[in-house]
Amino acid sequence: MKKIRLAVLGSVVSLLAACGSTPNQQPAPVVDRTTSTVKPVDNAVVAPAPVPSGRGYYTVKKGDTLYRIALDVGQNWRDIVAWNNLTNPNDIKVDQVLRVAPPDRVGGAPQTAAVVAAPGAGLDVKPLGAPGAAAPATSAPMASGGNKTGPRGDKRAYSDSALAELEKPDAAPAAPVPPAVATAKPEAPHAADKPAAASQPAAGDDEGVSWMWPADGKVVGTFEGGKKGVDIAGKDGQSVLAAAGGKVMYAGSGIRGYGNLVIIKHTNNLLSAYAHNKTILVKEGQSVTKGQKIAEMGKSDSDSVKLHFEIRQQGKPVDPSKYLPPR
């Protein structure tokens, strides 16, 4: 009996020693499931949208106005508003990129055309749809002797010959008719593939403009003197005449430094400007003839009564003395 007690006591002591010992192992990792493993969106790299640039575009600078930009590029300010979908011509911002040339002159391309062959007829030219769109399907009548259009409906008694005949393939389809486009001559493109001639200024238009002096008076400022045109001194209310025939593309006082200003467009490349007027006598869009009275001389935005006259070619000031007749 005593041996049994000693054995039980030894077992209990061994068990307590095993529970009290600390195993040499690392603690289990603790996972914080409240923290998201998804990377923040701010770290994602987003490619910026391409900004148009180059010829036909203008980046707005500090102090610019839409009217000033229109004068500098030789365009009507209303056209620039339309090309850029502006709701307010006075609301333009620094570094804003504006289209300042017609869309067909800024990376535009003439519309291409798809040539569709019609059986028994000539070429039918149709405009292409959106890029990647499937070509229009064309239907052609089935040639005689082609594939069957219905199932075999006759009943025959079973035989080896009948089974062999039923297993024969259908008649071969007739050879396809060559498309009509193959007979078309490549050197004779359709008119739709040619660029519109109206988008290009006619040669010789600039040389064909007949000029005259816009006012009588002494020239008190010349192009060589650092000005963008010539200054002609005169009297208050003196007549200001159109130096050449054309169409009024601006009449107002929205360009700082020019006062009451009239701009006349003569060709796609040439325009003339008449500044510091007392009164403007024409309206935008009005056609004028050479020598027609368009304003009265004054000193708006100037320290003296004078006419500031400019000729611009493609928006750049040129020396008026090279165009005006000698006096």
Side-chain angles (χ1 to χ4, degrees):
M1 190 68 178
K2 187 175 181 179
K3 292 181 179 180
I4 295 175
R5 289 181 179 178
L6 291 176
V8 171
L9 182 59
S11 300
V12 171
V13 171
S14 299
L15 181 61
L16 291 176
C19 293
S21 62
T22 302
N24 187 18
Q25 61 182 4
Q26 299 296 329
V30 178
V31 179
D32 183 4
R33 300 187 182 277
T34 61
T35 304
S36 175
T37 59
V38 180
K39 293 183 178 180
V41 180
D42 295 340
N43 294 335
V45 178
V46 180
V51 178
S53 61
R55 187 174 181 181
Y57 292 95
Y58 180 87
T59 303
V60 179
K61 302 178 181 63
K62 185 177 181 180
D64 277 344
T65 65
L66 191 66
Y67 308 108
R68 167 75 72 171
I69 295 171
L71 175 62
D72 290 341
V73 299
Q75 299 290 354
N76 192 314
W77 68 272
R78 295 183 186 275
D79 291 336
I80 298 179
V81 168
W83 297 335
N84 295 276
N85 297 321
L86 301 177
T87 56
N88 183 359
N90 296 319
D91 186 17
I92 58 175
K93 299 176 176 61
V94 176
D95 295 333
Q96 181 178 354
V97 178
L98 298 175
R99 182 193 296 271
V100 293
D104 58 349
R105 298 187 195 175
V106 185
Q111 182 183 19
T112 56
V115 181
V116 181
L123 293 180
D124 184 15
V125 180
K126 298 181 180 180
L128 284 174
T138 57
S139 59
M142 182 66 67
S144 60
N147 296 336
K148 64 179 183 294
T149 57
R152 300 174 188 264
D154 53 339
K155 296 182 179 180
R156 298 183 184 182
Y158 174 78
S159 65
D160 293 340
S161 60
L163 179 60
E165 184 178 352
L166 289 175
E167 290 178 349
K168 289 182 179 180
D170 294 330
V177 179
V181 70
T183 61
K185 297 181 180 180
E187 60 270 12
H190 193 271
D193 295 331
K194 298 179 180 179
S199 63
Q200 300 295 333
D205 279 358
D206 296 352
E207 291 77 7
V209 178
S210 177
W211 297 92
M212 64 172 288
W213 283 84
D216 294 329
K218 182 181 179 180
V219 176
V220 294
T222 62
F223 187 80
E224 289 80 5
K227 295 183 177 294
K228 296 181 179 180
V230 295
D231 291 342
I232 304 172
K235 299 179 181 179
D236 188 65
Q238 181 179 329
S239 296
V240 175
L241 312 177
K247 189 174 184 179
V248 178
M249 63 179 288
Y250 180 79
S253 58
I255 304 180
R256 186 178 302 173
Y258 284 81
N260 294 325
L261 174 67
V262 176
I263 302 176
I264 300 176
K265 191 166 188 176
H266 307 287
T267 67
N268 287 343
N269 298 321
L270 287 176
L271 58 83
S272 57
Y274 311 76
H276 306 312
N277 299 292
K278 176 182 180 180
T279 307
I280 296 176
L281 305 177
V282 291
K283 297 180 180 179
E284 291 182 16
Q286 178 180 341
S287 296
V288 296
T289 58
K290 176 183 176 180
Q292 179 178 339
K293 185 176 180 180
I294 59 173
E296 294 179 349
M297 194 180 296
K299 59 177 183 178
S300 57
D301 220 349
S302 172
D303 55 358
S304 62
V305 177
K306 63 181 178 182
L307 171 65
H308 176 74
F309 175 72
E310 294 182 7
I311 295 179
R312 296 200 175 205
Q313 187 173 38
Q314 295 182 346
K316 296 181 180 180
V318 293
D319 189 354
S321 64
K322 296 181 179 180
Y323 294 84
L324 299 175
R327 297 176 66 174

